[in-house]
Amino acid sequence: MSITVRSFAKINLGLCIGAPRRDGFHDLRTVYQTIAAHDVIRVRIAKGSGIEIRCEDDRVPADESNTCYRVAERTVALLRAKGKVLIEIEKRLPVQGGLGGASSNAVATLLALERALQKHIPGAEKLRIAAEVGSDLPLFLIGGTMLGVGRGEEVYPLPDLSPTACVLATPDVGVSTPEAFSDWDRSMARRVSSPAQPRQNRSKLTTSSHSARMNEFSRRLSSWLSGLPGKTGEPVTGVPAGGRGRAESPLLDLVRTGIENDFEQVVFPKHPELREVKRALVRCGAFYASLSGSGSALYGLFRSRKAAEMAAARLRKQGIAAEVTATITRQQYRTRIFD
Ligand code: C5P
């Protein structure tokens, strides 16, 4: 039996990078939001043994370095499953785009494999496998609007924002996430290494400026959350992706807190064309535009689908690859995965 799954992308609504940790990762705070743009994953169990990955895009590895492979390996071991696992990846999302494509593909593989093997994996086990394979995987077990903390793998569902029209701009640039984190560390170290600071104070200063920034980000998020209507389980009304209506405050309020993506500070100087794409999104009417994750994809949020379509058309005329999509709620995420 072949199982087909949609593997949705995410964007980051703000991302604050904290201090480097002993395990080589960085603490961070972010709001993840799933969007309708997706890859397609097909999983089938055949005769034989092992794991085989097929993808027409040769930038996607077919070996153990692929996150889908690593998830499948762990799932097969956990369930003591027999047979050969065939994973087909239909790539539509950019590779190394900051949209969580590879992480989402891996979670889609996990969910498809569970169905293909007709076995149930408890939620906690799925979360464990996901977090082991990568920081960005657990969010795809939840979907909708989420708070991400720790190294990004600790995820908490937030009140869902209503579907909002979104333009994804996908410049043909690959950004390495580990490299972007190292660039960030260097830029933070430079900020505190002014000649006025004695050398022995610098690491203390770096730590305190990291925590001050993280605290400020958390303060903005909690003031936003405390202003939201008290109902849970229903999306808080936002800008409808379909067009009319003005009930737009929760998402607008969030972006108006001034949340930003720290990666822009190190990725834009290296790739100035990405800063230009962000400016173009704003010029085309986005009420908020940002790099997603470490990039290179950027997104703009719009008041209506029509406005987003006009903006995408204008961007394409300027030679920028752009497509219209929309944010999706947790419920939409869950129902559309297997649709
Ligand atoms: O967890 P994931 O495999 O996606 O991380 C890839 C790399 O990105 C890590 O090896 C690390 O260098 C960097 N990273 C980090 N801090 C995080 C997440 C990722 O430094 N919170």
Side-chain angles (χ1 to χ4, degrees):
M1 184 171 39
S2 171
I3 305 288
T4 303
V5 181
R6 285 199 183 91
S7 166
F8 293 104
K10 60 85 182 161
I11 53 174
N12 295 84
L13 302 169
L15 192 159
C16 180
I17 309 171
R21 314 188 319 189
R22 279 177 190 205
D23 60 6
F25 288 89
H26 293 71
D27 268 321
L28 55 85
R29 305 261 188 283
T30 188
V31 175
Y32 294 117
Q33 173 65 58
T34 45
I35 56 173
H38 60 273
D39 290 333
V40 175
I41 304 290
R42 289 183 197 89
V43 170
R44 190 158 59 85
I45 310 294
K47 283 208 179 103
S49 61
I51 297 163
E52 187 182 322
I53 296 188
R54 293 179 187 161
C55 181
E56 281 181 6
D57 189 327
D58 53 20
R59 291 169 305 171
V60 176
D63 60 12
E64 317 82 66
S65 65
N66 190 307
T67 47
C68 297
Y69 189 104
R70 285 152 61 203
V71 158
E73 203 175 28
R74 284 165 172 79
T75 310
V76 166
L78 177 76
L79 300 174
R80 295 199 184 93
K82 302 262 179 303
K84 176 176 186 166
V85 179
L86 289 170
I87 306 165
E88 198 187 315
I89 305 171
E90 190 184 315
K91 206 77 204 151
R92 300 178 186 177
L93 300 169
V95 178
Q96 281 198 318
L99 299 171
S103 306
S104 173
N105 291 172
V107 170
T109 299
L110 175 60
L111 299 176
L113 200 48
E114 191 183 26
R115 282 215 175 175
L117 294 167
Q118 296 178 308
K119 294 258 172 80
H120 171 72
I121 308 173
E125 281 296 293
K126 283 197 215 115
L127 273 171
R128 180 188 59 77
I129 294 177
E132 249 176 55
V133 172
S135 312
D136 267 3
L137 267 69
L139 80 103
F140 291 107
L141 286 168
I142 298 179
T145 313
M146 296 153 277
L147 172 68
V149 301
R151 60 181 164 89
E153 92 292 13
E154 233 183 277
V155 241
Y156 301 92
L158 291 174
D160 258 329
L161 296 166
S162 278
T164 299
C166 175
V167 171
L168 267 189
T170 50
D172 195 14
V173 176
V175 176
S176 148
T177 303
E179 208 176 296
F181 273 113
S182 320
D183 291 344
W184 174 259
D185 292 340
R186 273 193 294 277
S187 89
M188 282 301 275
R190 268 198 306 274
R191 267 184 234 183
V192 293
S193 64
S194 79
Q197 295 299 336
R199 188 168 286 278
Q200 62 271 30
N201 280 358
R202 288 177 193 167
S203 79
K204 253 195 219 152
L205 266 174
T206 317
T207 311
S208 70
S209 45
H210 271 305
S211 50
R213 298 179 69 268
M214 295 281 267
N215 288 344
E216 176 55 21
F217 191 86
S218 306
R219 196 195 56 72
R220 287 174 193 215
L221 280 187
S222 25
S223 77
W224 169 68
L225 274 172
S226 61
L228 288 179
K231 274 194 183 170
T232 51
E234 274 175 32
V236 285
T237 321
V239 188
R244 293 181 294 136
R246 74 118 254 132
E248 58 190 20
S249 58
L251 183 50
L252 266 183
D253 287 348
L254 172 60
V255 298
R256 280 180 183 149
T257 61
I259 52 162
E260 284 181 351
N261 179 348
D262 283 344
F263 278 122
E264 290 185 354
Q265 293 185 39
V266 286
V267 173
F268 284 173
K270 261 194 172 167
H271 304 281
E273 66 274 30
L274 300 184
R275 192 199 309 275
E276 288 313 310
V277 175
K278 175 170 168 171
R279 286 187 180 143
L281 280 161
V282 173
R283 271 200 307 273
C284 289
F287 65 83
Y288 185 70
S290 171
L291 190 70
S292 183
S294 58
S296 61
L298 296 108
Y299 67 87
L301 299 172
F302 288 80
R303 286 188 161 77
S304 69
R305 176 133 196 136
K306 190 151 180 257
E309 271 160 7
M310 280 163 63
R314 265 177 73 185
L315 290 171
R316 284 194 290 265
K317 264 195 193 150
Q318 295 168 37
I320 301 166
E323 64 167 298
V324 178
T325 180
T327 65
I328 51 173
T329 64
R330 196 160 305 121
Q331 200 184 347
Q332 289 175 322
Y333 179 79
R334 290 189 177 173
T335 51
R336 290 190 200 170
I337 284 183
F338 289 107
D339 250 6

